[in-house]
Amino acid sequence: GENVGLHLPTLSVQEGDNSIINCAYSNSASDYFIWYKQESGKGPQFIIDIRSNMDKRQGQRVTVLLNKTVKHLSLQIAATQPGDSAVYFCAENISTGRRALTFGSGTRLQVQP
Amino acid sequence: GAVVSQHPSWVICKSGTSVKIECRSLDFQATTMFWYRQFPKQSLMLMATSNEGSKATYEQGVEKDKFLINHASLTLSTLTVTSAHPEDSSFYICSASRTVTLNTEAFFGQGTRLTVV
C-alpha cells in the first residue's frame, strides 16, 4: 500500500540553469540504463539511454553519464525549461535477464520561471 | 517512437467488482509486455511479465489469482483486477519492447488510474 509521508527528493532550479539529476543503481550486473520523465498522471517517457560500454551519451539538451565503478548514473539537462518540470526516473536492465526494467526511486524537478 | 496505448485512462469501481485494463502496442508486435503498479510519490514496481501465448510470470508478493493477465495476441495484453478493494487503488502502467533482442527501449502506456470505492 501507500507509504504515508514518503516524499520524492526534489531539485529546484531556475529557468535557464543546468540541472543534474543523480541516480545510484544497485546491481553491478546491469548493463543497460535509461532515463525516463514522468509527468503527473502519465506514463514514463523515454529521454535517453546508455549501454555499459559507454560512459557518456548526449542527446538534445540532455547528457547521461555512467560511472560503473561507483554504480552511479546522472542526467544533465541544459538550459532547463518550465516544461522540464516532472519526476525523473533512472531504470536499469541486465542483457542476460528477463528484460524487465528496475526503476530507481525518482527525483522531482521543479523549474522556477 | 513506438506507441503503447492503455485503456481506460481512469476507472472508478465499487469494492468487490472486477476491472479490466487493456494494453495495446499500436505499431509493433510485442511478445512480452510488463505490468507495473505505482503508488503516489513512489516509483514503478513490476507486478508481472506478460508473455504472448503462455502464462504470465508474477513478481513475489503479487497474487496471480487477483491480478489476472492475458496476452492472447502480439499486440494486446490485459490485466484484470478481480474483487477489487480500496487498497488496490493505484496507477497501473504497462510497457512493451519492440523486439525480442536484448537491451531495447521499453515503451510505456499512459497509465490507468484505478480508484476503488
Side-chain angles (χ1 to χ4, degrees):
Chain A
E2 178 179 354
N3 290 331
V4 176
L6 181 68
H7 295 284
L8 288 170
T10 299
L11 173 66
S12 291
V13 300
Q14 291 292 125
E15 182 178 358
D17 287 351
N18 296 334
S19 304
I20 299 177
I21 301 171
N22 296 303
C23 176
Y25 65 94
S26 57
N27 195 336
S28 56
S30 294
D31 55 7
Y32 181 54
F33 306 89
I34 310 175
W35 279 101
Y36 285 94
K37 172 185 180 184
Q38 186 179 30
E39 297 175 314
S40 180
K42 297 183 179 179
Q45 177 186 359
F46 173 89
I47 300 175
I48 191 168
D49 61 358
I50 188 168
R51 303 186 192 283
S52 59
N53 61 350
M54 303 173 67
D55 53 21
K56 179 179 180 179
R57 189 163 187 231
Q58 289 185 291
Q60 187 178 14
R61 275 203 311 120
V62 295
T63 300
V64 55
L65 299 178
L66 174 63
N67 186 329
K68 296 181 290 293
T69 302
V70 295
K71 292 187 286 187
H72 184 268
L73 199 64
S74 69
L75 176 69
Q76 301 178 2
I77 304 174
T80 312
Q81 303 168 0
D84 295 327
S85 294
V87 177
Y88 290 80
F89 293 98
C90 66
E92 60 183 293
N93 200 355
I94 303 172
S95 60
T96 56
R98 59 187 177 184
R99 294 186 298 113
L101 295 171
T102 300
F103 281 81
S105 56
T107 298
R108 180 176 302 282
L109 176 65
Q110 292 181 339
V111 182
Q112 309 296 330
Chain B
V3 178
V4 175
S5 177
Q6 265 183 258
H7 178 80
S9 299
W10 59 271
V11 57
I12 301 173
C13 71
K14 291 184 177 180
S15 185
T17 62
S18 296
V19 174
K20 179 184 286 188
I21 302 170
E22 293 185 348
C23 179
R24 295 181 183 273
S25 56
L26 298 185
D27 53 357
F28 68 100
Q29 293 184 334
T31 56
T32 303
M33 293 183 177
F34 304 96
W35 286 96
Y36 294 82
R37 180 168 51 184
Q38 185 179 31
F39 291 107
K41 299 182 180 180
Q42 294 190 31
S43 188
L44 284 74
M45 297 300 295
L46 180 68
M47 298 176 65
T49 301
S50 172
N51 302 297
E52 187 268 336
S54 64
K55 293 183 179 180
T57 303
Y58 290 82
E59 295 301 297
Q60 189 173 9
V62 178
E63 301 176 56
K64 62 179 182 180
D65 294 329
K66 180 171 184 60
F67 298 99
L68 301 179
I69 291 174
N70 184 279
H71 194 156
S73 77
L74 288 172
T75 59
L76 174 64
S77 176
T78 60
L79 169 68
T80 301
V81 183
T82 63
S83 186
H85 292 285
E87 58 265 30
D88 298 324
S89 298
S90 187
F91 194 53
Y92 292 85
I93 308 171
C94 71
S95 77
S97 294
R98 185 194 296 271
T99 70
V100 297
T101 57
L102 303 172
N103 287 349
T104 57
E105 176 188 344
F107 300 94
F108 285 82
Q110 67 269 42
T112 298
R113 172 75 59 193
L114 170 63
T115 302
V116 185
V117 297

